[in-house]
Amino acid sequence: MAHPKRKTSKTRRDKRRTHYKATPATLSTCSNCGAAVKYHRVCPECGHYRGKLAVDKDVSA
Amino acid sequence: MRHRKGFNHLGRTNTHRKAMLSNMASSLILQKRITTTTAKAKALRSYIEPLITKSKNDTTHSRRVVFSYLRNKYALSELFREISPKVIQRPGGYTRILKTGNRLGDNAEMCIIELVDYNENMLDDKPAKGKSTRRRRGSGKKKTGEASAATAVAAGTEDATPAETAEEKEAGEENAETEVQEESKGEAKTSEEKPETEVKEEPEAEKKATEGKAEAKEKEEKKEGDKAADKEEDKKE
Ligand SMILES: [Zn+2]
């Protein structure tokens, strides 16, 4: 079996990792309160989903 | 390769997984809404929906079958007494999964799984939607019973007079066209007398026409028109 001849130096490792980038989350705005919401998620601020009250924050904690 | 990976094992042995799903199903039945991870909720959904369907037929056998899955007599009685009459009209899809974001600690995707008929806020005009099928083909049980009579009549005429068909086809089609026009007028007026007269005209057309398909279409259109008229009447009331 083939083996690496040298340990990968910190420089080589870090240079490889320069292309690892986080992608920003795609957000929409809540139709009820206008907060930024991830798609297909209940609004974390007001508990609305698709224009209706899905999760009542006061009742279900 | 995803060969032989039919379902999510949830990182558990068979017995562990079954015990967990059984407990979760009992909790969901008793509480109507539980917060869990999305993966578990999806596994629970496919576990509990057949049980709810089973509960629509309240017999000793079905109770025993469901109990073998739930292993909780309180959940069992709650399911058969309270939940099953409430969901009797619903053709499957008794649960709803609402994703609520990721959990602190392990960043697991969390959700709320709930029984659809117990969330008052999300309910709306769904019962009306459920009745009217949106399928174009494969007519439901209601229609087949009524339509079978028409097809039977048409089939009888086919067997009896195959030679005469060609001329009478055209006549029947013409009748059909005129009838359709009448229907459109009738729908606009939404009078109760129109549908009755049309029904009387139908049998004659059936005898003449050989193609049952055209007739069935007409009938369906009429039914829809009648339904629309009925709905409007309901609204007036
Ligand atoms: Zn909101």
Side-chain angles (χ1 to χ4, degrees):
Chain A
M1 291 287 284
H3 286 299
K5 192 170 187 177
R6 293 249 173 260
K7 176 182 180 178
T8 308
S9 69
K10 290 170 201 165
T11 315
R12 275 191 96 79
R13 181 199 66 199
D14 293 345
K15 279 201 296 192
R16 180 174 67 240
R17 291 182 184 172
T18 57
H19 292 284
Y20 296 179
K21 282 163 189 164
T23 54
T26 49
L27 298 173
S28 71
T29 53
C30 175
S31 61
N32 185 55
C33 69
V37 185
K38 276 185 173 180
Y39 283 103
H40 308 117
R41 304 288 193 288
V42 175
C43 175
E45 301 296 328
C46 66
H48 276 65
Y49 183 63
R50 298 179 72 184
K52 289 176 192 165
L53 184 64
V55 183
D56 200 340
K57 288 283 171 184
D58 302 328
V59 176
S60 67
Chain B
M1 287 203 304
R2 56 157 297 282
H3 295 178
R4 306 185 71 187
K5 294 178 184 172
F7 64 101
N8 192 345
H9 297 87
L10 299 171
R12 286 160 175 81
T13 60
N14 186 31
T15 49
H16 186 183
R17 185 171 55 246
K18 279 184 180 169
M20 186 192 71
L21 289 171
S22 175
N23 286 332
M24 289 175 76
S26 297
S27 297
L28 179 60
I29 287 166
L30 293 172
Q31 307 293 326
K32 323 297 183 207
R33 152 182 284 203
I34 56 177
T35 305
T36 180
T37 63
T38 305
K40 281 183 194 169
K42 286 181 176 177
L44 177 62
R45 181 175 60 190
S46 60
Y47 187 90
I48 197 170
E49 297 236 352
L51 299 183
I52 297 175
T53 302
K54 198 89 183 164
S55 77
K56 289 178 175 178
N57 180 21
D58 190 356
T59 61
T60 308
H61 177 62
S62 64
R63 275 178 179 260
R64 283 176 180 164
V65 169
V66 172
F67 183 75
S68 74
Y69 286 91
L70 289 180
R71 290 274 146 197
N72 182 331
K73 61 182 180 183
Y74 303 106
L76 186 82
S77 59
E78 174 76 10
L79 174 62
F80 277 83
R81 277 185 201 158
E82 309 293 334
I83 296 174
S84 86
K86 211 164 182 178
V87 301
I88 197 78
Q89 293 290 339
R90 194 172 289 283
Y94 314 107
T95 57
R96 177 187 290 121
I97 292 174
L98 294 162
K99 293 175 184 172
T100 54
N102 294 13
R103 178 163 63 189
L104 284 176
D106 63 353
N107 207 32
E109 194 179 18
M110 300 299 287
C111 72
I112 285 171
I113 180 168
E114 64 186 7
L115 297 176
V116 170
D117 289 290
Y118 282 85
N119 190 345
E120 306 292 337
N121 295 322
M122 296 287 273
L123 283 178
D124 50 359
D125 53 346
K126 286 226 170 136
K129 258 188 183 178
K131 281 178 185 174
S132 65
T133 177
R134 283 191 285 178
R135 289 178 189 167
R136 291 185 177 180
R137 302 171 62 195
S139 56
K141 288 175 184 175
K142 286 181 182 176
K143 285 181 180 178
T144 50
E146 295 169 350
S148 60
T151 52
V153 171
T157 53
E158 271 183 355
D159 294 339
T161 60
E164 297 172 342
T165 54
E167 296 174 6
E168 290 178 353
K169 262 186 190 176
E170 296 171 7
E173 285 171 8
E174 287 175 0
N175 283 349
E177 288 172 9
T178 53
E179 277 185 5
V180 167
Q181 289 173 354
E182 286 177 3
E183 281 167 20
S184 60
K185 291 173 186 173
E187 285 174 87
K189 291 173 184 174
T190 65
S191 63
E192 293 179 1
E193 297 171 4
K194 269 278 174 182
E196 291 175 3
T197 55
E198 285 171 3
V199 169
K200 285 173 187 173
E201 289 173 7
E202 266 185 50
E204 298 171 7
E206 281 174 15
K207 286 170 190 172
K208 287 178 182 176
T210 53
E211 290 180 354
K213 294 176 185 176
E215 301 257 310
K217 281 182 184 176
E218 290 172 22
K219 275 215 160 188
E220 284 179 12
E221 286 173 16
K222 273 173 194 170
K223 280 172 200 163
E224 287 169 13
D226 294 348
K227 283 178 185 174
D230 293 341
K231 282 178 184 175
E232 288 179 358
E233 286 168 17
D234 292 343
K235 283 177 184 174
K236 285 172 186 174
E237 288 174 5

